[in-house]
Amino acid sequence: MHELGIVFHIVKSVEEIAAENQASKVNKVVLQIGEVSTIIPYYLKDCWKWKCSKSELMEGCELEIETIPAITFCEDCKETYGTVEYGKICPYCGSEHTYLKQGNEHEIKEIEVT
C-alpha cells in the first residue's frame, strides 16, 4: 500500500506550508491525482483520515481529490488521445510511438487554512 507513504509525504508538505504561513489549522486539502497514477483514492482517503488524526494541525482535515485525465501523445501523427480508452496504440494512425503526456502525476492543488 504505497498510499500511506504518499499521505505521509503530502501531510509533511502541508504542515510545512501551514507553519510558514502561521496557520493554526488546516481545514481542507485539494489533491490532483492522475487517472493512471496507480494511487487508489479510497485507500488514500483512509490513510489520510488516520494520519490527520495524529496531528493537531491536521485533525479533521478534509481531503478532496480531483482526477487528472490520462492523455497520450503520438509522435508520428502529433495527435493526443485518451490513454484509458485507447492504451498505447494511437487511434488515429495505429502507431506505437506514443508516450504519456499527463495522468501519472499527483500534486497539491489547494490548501485551506485558518
Side-chain angles (χ1 to χ4, degrees):
M1 178 188 288
H2 68 285
E3 286 81 5
L4 186 58
I6 292 167
V7 164
F8 271 71
H9 177 72
I10 292 168
V11 167
K12 181 180 177 189
S13 297
V14 169
E15 287 176 333
E16 288 172 359
I17 293 166
E20 288 171 9
N21 291 281
Q22 293 91 32
S24 59
K25 185 81 173 150
V26 179
N27 300 314
K28 180 179 173 181
V29 172
V30 179
L31 184 65
Q32 293 180 313
I33 299 176
E35 190 175 24
V36 294
S37 67
T38 72
I39 297 171
I40 301 170
Y42 173 80
Y43 292 154
L44 192 76
K45 283 189 172 191
D46 196 39
C47 293
W48 181 263
K49 287 178 189 174
W50 175 82
K51 178 63 176 160
C52 288
S53 74
K54 308 295 182 194
S55 167
E56 189 174 316
L57 180 69
M58 300 288 295
E59 189 167 7
C61 181
E62 177 189 352
L63 176 64
E64 182 179 315
I65 296 174
E66 295 179 354
T67 302
I68 299 169
I71 304 293
T72 295
F73 177 77
C74 176
E75 295 178 306
D76 290 341
C77 72
K78 311 297 185 224
E79 293 287 339
T80 59
Y81 61 90
T83 307
V84 173
E85 187 176 0
Y86 296 104
K88 185 164 172 50
I89 309 297
C90 177
Y92 299 105
C93 71
S95 173
E96 291 185 22
H97 301 120
T98 62
Y99 64 87
L100 187 65
K101 191 171 182 179
Q102 74 175 37
N104 193 30
E105 66 273 35
H106 66 278
E107 56 193 28
I108 299 169
K109 177 183 178 186
E110 187 178 313
I111 302 169
E112 182 183 296
V113 298
T114 53

